[in-house]
Amino acid sequence: MKSPNNVPASIVTRNMSDFTHETGNVYESIAIISKRANQISVKLKEELNGKLAEFATTVDNLEEVFENREQIEISKHYERLPKPTNLAVEEFLEGKIHFRTPAAEEPAAE
């Protein structure tokens, strides 16, 4: 997953009214952002686990565990990425998240 350069890696103060433009409701916007952040988090975790699996060894003895420079570098790269919540907030504010709300359930016609 590519990290956008315009996403801040640290916390930024936000104006809550910016979140109401898309949905008209701050709480609905936050729910959408949290669901997207979970999707991003799962995707990043799968990528990281896939890359680290290449270096996995089956060692039963704790004394035989050694540091692998490539594993450390990969882990540090993922630690430096912006957090999934920050990515999701930026995507939402830029209008890159597509969402839909379920229509009010209509009575089933028999």
Side-chain angles (χ1 to χ4, degrees):
M1 169 174 236
K2 293 183 181 179
S3 172
N5 294 332
N6 62 348
V7 177
S10 61
I11 298 173
V12 176
T13 304
R14 304 279 183 182
N15 185 355
M16 294 302 288
S17 64
D18 293 343
F19 294 110
T20 61
H21 295 296
E22 290 282 326
T23 62
N25 185 339
V26 173
Y27 301 107
E28 186 176 349
S29 299
I30 298 300
I32 292 167
I33 291 169
S34 72
K35 288 178 183 179
R36 178 62 182 142
N38 286 337
Q39 291 173 346
I40 293 170
S41 177
V42 166
K43 185 174 181 179
L44 285 173
K45 187 172 182 176
E46 287 174 356
E47 283 182 16
L48 176 61
N49 287 338
K51 289 181 180 181
L52 293 178
E54 297 173 7
F55 304 104
T57 59
T58 55
V59 176
D60 292 336
N61 189 354
L62 292 177
E63 295 174 3
E64 295 180 17
V65 175
F66 60 94
E67 292 183 3
N68 189 331
R69 182 62 90 197
E70 290 83 12
Q71 280 181 312
I72 294 170
E73 291 302 318
I74 291 171
S75 296
K76 284 183 179 181
H77 170 73
Y78 277 89
E79 288 175 5
R80 286 188 293 263
L81 290 176
K83 302 295 181 221
T85 305
N86 289 349
L87 291 170
V89 167
E90 287 298 322
E91 285 181 4
F92 183 80
L93 293 176
E94 293 173 3
K96 294 180 180 177
I97 297 178
H98 301 287
F99 61 92
R100 61 175 186 229
T101 53
E105 291 188 27
E106 300 175 13
E110 292 183 21

